[in-house]
Amino acid sequence: MALRKIVQIGDEVLTKKAKKVEKIDEKIIELLDDMAETMYHSEGVGLAAPQIGILKRVVVIDIGDGLLELINPEIVSVEGEQIGDEGCLSVVGKMGVVKRPYKVTVRALNREGKCFEITGEEFLARAFCHEIDHLEGVLYVEKVEDGLIDV
Ligand code: ZN
């Protein structure tokens, strides 16, 4: 495993759409391991591959309940609404208020290539939306309601 460098806002890789993973090979497994290590090292709760400069649809999340690895994640249903603070490892030192669905169900592949669905509420739902936005080249700063604040 190795730490990867997290790219910061202003880098155009963060504005590009990531490509679907066609084959889960050793490189993807290594990517997942490195992303988890990088996320934990930075004390983040989620990391998407574009944030380390890799335009692949791979996400890791851990909001404190264990590591989730999502390959080719897709939102299959959303419910309700929540308003809350959001930050990003690619936008260091800032935070902002973003409206997200309250409950989100995601379908993805695990590292064995098996399809699964997972439903998250509150903060996990927010993390799903935030990370999947990264795969579309979208940063939360575009969705902030009252501007960014320094933290
Ligand atoms: Zn982010």
Side-chain angles (χ1 to χ4, degrees), residues 15-107:
T15 67
K16 291 188 171 156
K17 199 173 156 151
K19 289 198 179 70
K20 203 173 155 187
V21 173
E22 300 294 346
K23 187 170 174 266
I24 301 170
D25 56 15
E26 276 172 32
K27 279 197 96 88
I28 296 295
I29 301 301
E30 194 186 335
L31 177 64
L32 283 165
D33 289 342
D34 288 356
M35 283 173 63
E37 190 180 353
T38 304
M39 172 181 73
Y40 289 127
H41 183 260
S42 306
E43 295 178 350
V45 294
L47 190 71
Q51 292 183 273
I52 55 163
I54 309 278
L55 284 169
K56 292 210 163 95
R57 302 185 83 81
V58 177
V59 162
V60 293
I61 291 172
D62 189 343
I63 61 160
D65 297 331
L67 179 64
L68 292 172
E69 297 175 328
L70 308 172
I71 299 167
N72 299 338
E74 280 176 75
I75 292 175
V76 291
S77 71
V78 299
E79 226 179 282
E81 200 176 277
Q82 59 171 320
I83 290 176
D85 292 333
E86 222 162 287
C88 180
L89 292 175
S90 294
V91 191
V92 166
K94 303 278 181 190
M95 212 168 93
V97 174
V98 185
K99 192 192 283 176
R100 298 286 192 185
Y102 178 78
K103 188 173 168 183
V104 174
T105 299
V106 170
R107 183 183 298 144

